[in-house]
Amino acid sequence: FYYRSDWESAIDWYKQYLRSASWAPEMADAWFMISKCYANLKKYDQAKDACLQAIKINADFKDALLWMAKLSGPKNRKKWNEYASLANNQDVLFASE
């Protein structure tokens, strides 16, 4: 659903998965993808909340930290980018680097 730009359906399926999930890397990735879906729907507060869930699961999730920087205003963007520069993507399911 995500790759077909059906954001609402993608959110529903990711949340359904999260109800039974137990592996942290997959759970963090699901929250990250939910965040991207919400952003595509222009629901930025919900996108930030979902991204924070991913970061709560794994503070070394660099892509989530960089995404949070993009979602944040200029005041907080610099700090999130600093956090991202310290992340090593340990225990991340998929990493862009």
Side-chain angles (χ1 to χ4, degrees):
F1 292 105
Y2 178 84
Y3 294 105
R4 296 186 192 279
S5 302
D6 185 350
W7 314 121
E8 294 284 354
S9 294
I11 290 167
D12 289 342
W13 279 103
Y14 284 122
K15 285 185 175 182
Q16 181 176 332
Y17 162 75
L18 285 165
R19 285 193 287 275
S20 63
S22 61
W23 193 40
E26 283 183 341
M27 293 167 61
D29 196 67
W31 280 114
F32 177 62
M33 297 305 292
I34 289 170
S35 176
K36 290 187 157 243
C37 291
Y38 278 130
N40 280 306
L41 292 167
K42 299 188 181 351
K43 296 180 177 182
Y44 299 111
D45 285 339
Q46 290 167 289
K48 286 187 264 186
D49 289 344
C51 190
L52 283 173
Q53 291 298 323
I55 294 166
K56 281 173 32 179
I57 293 168
N58 185 354
D60 276 322
F61 193 168
K62 188 172 191 169
D63 286 344
L65 292 161
L66 290 170
W67 179 243
M68 190 60 154
K70 288 181 182 179
L71 292 172
S72 299
K75 180 179 175 184
N76 293 320
R77 184 170 293 131
K78 182 178 177 185
K79 188 55 79 176
W80 283 111
N81 281 322
E82 285 179 38
Y83 296 147
S85 73
L86 301 171
N88 63 14
N89 277 330
Q90 183 176 342
D91 299 323
V92 171
L93 188 60
F94 300 107
S96 64
E97 295 179 5

